[in-house]
Amino acid sequence: MRAHPLATDAVLAFGAFVAMVVGSFADPHGPHGPTFGTRTPEPFSLLLMLLGAAALVFRRRQPRAVLAVTCGLSLLELTTGEPRAPVAMCTVIALYTVAARTDRPTTWRIGLLTMAGLTGVAMLAGPLPWYAQENIGIFAWTGMAAAAGDAVRSRRAFVDAIRERAERAERTRDEEARRRVAEERLRIARDLHDVVAHHIALVNVQAGVAAHVMDKRPDQAKEALAHVRDASRSALNELRATVGLLRQSGDPEAPTEPAPGLGVLDELVDTFRHAGLPVEVIVQLDGAAGPLPAAVDLAAYRVIQEALTNVRKHAGAGAKAEVSVVRVGPSVEVTVLDDGGEAADVAPEPTDPPGGGHGLLGMRERTGALGGTCFAGPRYGGGYRVHATLPLT
């Protein structure tokens, strides 16, 4: 029916024509109720019924024009027909179509105008007395047509709203799922970058030291290789823990070790000291205020790890670093400074070409996810400064 609306309306128009013709042979004032075969419609009435039915074929394309045509045909029948034929049935169908395809105020304006016009003409200008039941029937049928069309329109609007809301909710769920997947991928990428960049940098330094002193100072070379072994073992352990997060929930092989934090900051700093980078650490956290939130603790650790790794990779020979972690009101401030050493390189910014700057970008993403800020840039007089503010709430 939706694929062929014109054919559907043609069938409806034919049915309405048959019903009007059959009804025109009935006498509503029979001794025992309506009786058939006691009267015959006039040819003019049959022509009006045929024209009204033909107009209904186009009721969906031009609903108001069809209503106007059927109203005119009904008025002709009401003023001239004797006996009266049910041409007004076309107007009832046309009025229902208008009500079902427009808004409520328009429906009732057009509906009331149609009801009052047809009923008034039937009462005042028709051949029947004004109180005849046929006149009251016109008022009732047109009123029911307007009410039924408005109810159908309201139901369609309600169903469409529910369908649109369900589709919007489905799209929102899909977008939320994609957003969470993207956030999880970024988080895992940051963790992998922090682990790999830190430990590989240390392995590279210690391996270079071992290769340099292998012949002249084998004891120092062995110590450097031992640091390489420890750094690689730590890298493997952290990689295993990070990759284990990708397991399904409830997997008995998923890692249960706590994430690194400021509690193991001394171990982190020792790895850099063994690699030849002097590091001074100042931690001022008010113990009475309670432990740091896990997310803040991990973010502070990763910021220090990445900043010291950049110092070891980019600072010149003889560089020194300072680390401070201070609780200031409702936040924790993490600062990592270095003096640049001799012939220091410039640490890459996040806007540099691909291949550099992911560590600084990762630090800013971590702090931004917690509602904090992170600044990284050169210091006046040489060196580099990383400063992160992490809210505790």
Side-chain angles (χ1 to χ4, degrees):
M1 294 176 63
R2 293 181 179 178
H4 305 282
L6 191 62
T8 302
D9 291 339
V11 173
L12 175 65
F14 178 76
F17 176 71
V18 173
M20 288 187 293
V21 171
V22 172
S24 63
F25 284 91
D27 182 9
H29 302 287
H32 303 289
T35 57
F36 288 90
T38 58
R39 67 175 184 172
T40 303
E42 296 181 355
F44 184 69
S45 297
L46 291 175
L47 178 61
L48 294 178
M49 288 186 285
L50 179 61
L51 294 176
L56 292 179
V57 176
F58 307 98
R59 66 185 186 95
R60 300 194 196 187
R61 294 186 177 182
Q62 299 291 335
R64 299 193 183 187
V66 171
L67 177 61
V69 171
T70 54
C71 282
L73 297 175
S74 299
L75 291 175
L76 284 176
E77 176 63 22
L78 292 175
T79 56
T80 61
E82 181 58 36
R84 183 182 296 173
V87 181
M89 183 181 294
C90 298
T91 305
V92 171
I93 297 175
L95 180 58
Y96 165 84
T97 304
V98 171
R101 301 175 70 88
T102 186
D103 55 85
R104 179 165 294 173
T106 304
T107 295
W108 288 112
R109 283 197 299 268
I110 296 178
L112 289 176
L113 180 62
T114 303
M115 294 163 58
L118 293 182
T119 305
V121 170
M123 289 182 173
L124 301 177
L128 298 177
W130 68 270
Y131 52 84
Q133 61 181 4
E134 288 89 341
N135 298 335
I136 306 301
I138 292 174
F139 182 84
W141 278 104
T142 51
M144 286 190 295
D150 182 71
V152 170
R153 180 198 53 79
S154 299
R155 183 182 180 279
R156 288 176 181 171
F158 178 72
V159 172
D160 291 341
I162 292 178
R163 184 181 296 110
E164 193 273 337
R165 191 179 306 151
E167 293 175 354
R168 186 170 61 249
E170 186 68 22
R171 289 194 302 267
T172 302
R173 276 196 302 269
D174 293 341
E175 293 172 358
E176 178 68 15
R178 287 193 295 269
R179 185 187 64 81
R180 291 186 178 183
V181 169
E183 290 180 353
E184 185 66 13
R185 290 177 60 186
L186 287 176
R187 187 188 65 80
I188 294 174
R190 286 195 299 267
D191 288 340
L192 289 176
H193 175 273
D194 293 342
V195 172
V196 173
H198 165 62
H199 291 291
I200 296 302
L202 294 181
V203 168
N204 180 53
V205 171
Q206 296 292 352
V209 172
H212 182 68
V213 302
M214 179 66 71
D215 297 330
K216 297 181 180 180
R217 287 175 287 181
D219 293 339
Q220 187 176 353
K222 290 181 180 179
E223 182 180 356
L225 291 176
H227 291 314
V228 169
R229 181 188 58 195
D230 295 338
S232 60
R233 181 185 298 114
S234 299
L236 290 175
N237 291 336
E238 291 200 39
L239 284 174
R240 185 180 299 111
T242 302
V243 175
L245 296 176
L246 299 177
R247 298 181 182 275
Q248 298 179 358
S249 60
D251 192 331
E253 298 183 7
T256 57
E257 298 85 356
L262 296 179
V264 293
L265 180 59
D266 293 337
E267 299 178 10
L268 174 66
V269 172
D270 288 340
T271 61
F272 287 99
R273 289 170 178 165
H274 291 316
L277 175 65
V279 182
E280 296 183 4
V281 180
I282 299 176
V283 178
Q284 295 180 354
L285 299 176
D286 187 4
L292 298 179
V296 175
D297 194 24
L298 175 60
Y301 177 88
R302 292 302 190 193
V303 167
I304 296 172
Q305 183 186 48
E306 178 61 28
L308 292 178
T309 301
N310 286 340
V311 173
R312 192 65 191 86
K313 289 167 58 178
H314 300 287
K320 298 180 181 179
E322 299 178 3
V323 176
S324 66
V325 182
V326 182
R327 188 195 294 263
V328 180
S331 62
V332 171
E333 295 186 1
V334 178
T335 306
V336 180
L337 307 174
D338 71 89
D339 56 8
E342 300 177 1
D345 296 333
V346 177
E349 288 294 328
T351 56
D352 287 347
H358 295 291
L360 297 180
L361 181 61
M363 286 192 292
R364 289 168 180 169
E365 288 177 349
R366 284 185 183 277
T367 55
L370 298 176
T373 58
C374 180
F375 167 81
R379 299 173 60 193
Y380 179 77
Y384 213 74
R385 176 176 181 265
V386 175
H387 179 78
T389 302
L390 303 172
L392 297 176
T393 56

